[in-house]
Amino acid sequence: MKYYFLSDAHLGSLTVSDPAAHQAKFIGWLEMAAADGDAIFLLGDIFDFWFEFPKAIPEGYDAVIETIRRTVQRGVEVHFFCGNHDQWTFGYLESHCGVKLHRKEFVTQLCGKTFFMHHGHGLGEMSRATRRLNALFESRISRWLFRYLMPPRAAWSFGYKWSERNRLRHSEHDGVFLGENNEPQVIFAKHYSAEHPGTDYIVMGHRHIELNLMLATGTQLVILGDFFSLFTYAVFDGKDISLETYL
């Protein structure tokens, strides 16, 4: 039994110098994982900006979408977690590709081990500005207004540029480990594992840091890194989980 975990590819990001090569590398990873994996967990921000409109989906991802669809068809489960950059899917990925969609946390058993999975945004983050932004993104009203009042191409252009500005604005802290006492996801994991004894693994993305940490509670916390600069992912072989680099 083998299970693969990846997050934060940010396909389509304006900060990536060669988008075509980046997308090809992600497709190569998908094909590698599908070759011997029982399930693939894509833990959010796979796309740098994904917003579906009633008659249009973001352009330029045909090869990625087709690879995911073929992976599911061959019997490999693909779980797609909504991240803070690609949470605006309204049915296309599920109906066309057959992915299992998760908008919140997903707790499951793999080979007798209990896994908690989530993209990671909003967990342990105490900033009022962050909470307000997440609430705006998840608001039904704001989603409706964006979906029905914005022309698709203008909306996608806005989304990619917003993401680029946000990445550059926070580049000083992006991908930098803040320490156990300051890292939001570590703080969350410590509280969660204390309240949910028997949790074997907590797996998240979002922070663009590579972390494999055994907590005092006995829960193993894995933060997946990213797939645009580190090209890291995790694999669980039924006994142990490890962080790997896709070369």
Side-chain angles (χ1 to χ4, degrees):
M1 306 291 284
K2 235 177 193 181
Y3 302 90
Y4 288 88
F5 309 81
L6 181 145
S7 72
D8 297 278
H10 289 276
L11 298 175
S13 171
L14 299 179
T15 64
V16 172
S17 59
D18 191 340
H22 182 209
Q23 191 171 135
K25 191 164 187 174
F26 177 73
I27 290 171
W29 180 87
L30 277 175
E31 292 172 340
M32 179 274 296
D36 65 352
D38 293 277
I40 297 170
F41 298 90
L42 302 176
L43 273 81
D45 286 0
I46 300 305
F47 303 101
D48 197 54
F49 185 74
W50 179 276
F51 197 104
E52 295 172 15
F53 288 84
K55 296 182 180 180
I57 63 167
E59 299 169 342
Y61 302 114
D62 291 353
V64 171
I65 296 299
E66 179 60 19
T67 303
I68 294 174
R69 189 185 68 82
R70 289 200 315 266
T71 299
V72 173
Q73 281 190 333
R74 67 190 290 180
V76 180
E77 284 189 359
V78 176
H79 295 253
F80 188 94
F81 288 71
C82 293
N84 50 307
H85 284 254
D86 54 10
Q87 60 185 281
W88 303 284
T89 173
F90 305 112
Y92 179 83
L93 295 175
E94 304 98 296
S95 63
H96 184 77
C97 300
V99 303
K100 297 180 182 295
L101 190 78
H102 304 284
R103 295 193 180 276
K104 300 293 184 181
E105 70 274 2
F106 178 52
V107 179
T108 191
Q109 292 271 323
L110 301 176
C111 299
K113 301 292 186 180
T114 301
F115 280 74
F116 171 100
M117 289 177 258
H118 191 283
H119 174 60
H121 64 294
L123 300 185
E125 295 173 339
M126 303 306 293
S127 163
R128 182 174 297 179
T130 298
R131 293 200 302 269
R132 285 178 175 173
L133 187 62
N134 288 338
L136 176 66
F137 286 166
E138 295 172 3
S139 164
R140 290 185 179 181
I141 295 175
S142 61
R143 289 180 177 184
W144 188 93
L145 290 172
F146 197 82
R147 194 175 189 214
Y148 290 101
L149 298 183
M150 286 283 286
R153 289 186 176 176
W156 296 328
S157 177
F158 167 81
Y160 289 123
K161 288 178 182 177
W162 166 81
S163 179
E164 179 188 33
R165 288 196 301 269
N166 189 62
R167 174 85 35 79
L168 295 175
R169 188 166 59 247
H170 296 96
S171 60
E172 183 179 349
H173 300 293
D174 190 41
V176 178
F177 181 56
L178 302 177
E180 285 192 35
N181 295 326
N182 297 306
E183 191 63 54
Q185 292 179 354
V186 176
I187 295 170
F188 168 83
K190 288 180 177 179
H191 285 296
Y192 182 88
S193 59
E195 295 172 357
H196 298 82
T199 301
D200 296 291
Y201 299 101
I202 295 176
V203 185
M204 293 186 281
H206 183 56
R207 280 286 290 119
H208 304 168
I209 59 174
E210 188 180 1
L211 184 67
N212 194 341
L213 179 66
M214 181 62 73
L215 304 177
T217 55
T219 298
Q220 193 167 345
L221 169 64
V222 176
I223 302 180
L224 294 168
D226 69 54
F227 204 81
F228 61 87
S229 63
L230 299 173
F231 298 101
T232 48
Y233 65 98
V235 59
F236 177 61
D237 64 4
K239 295 181 180 180
D240 300 296
I241 194 168
S242 61
L243 277 167
E244 309 287 344
T245 302
Y246 186 73
L247 301 175

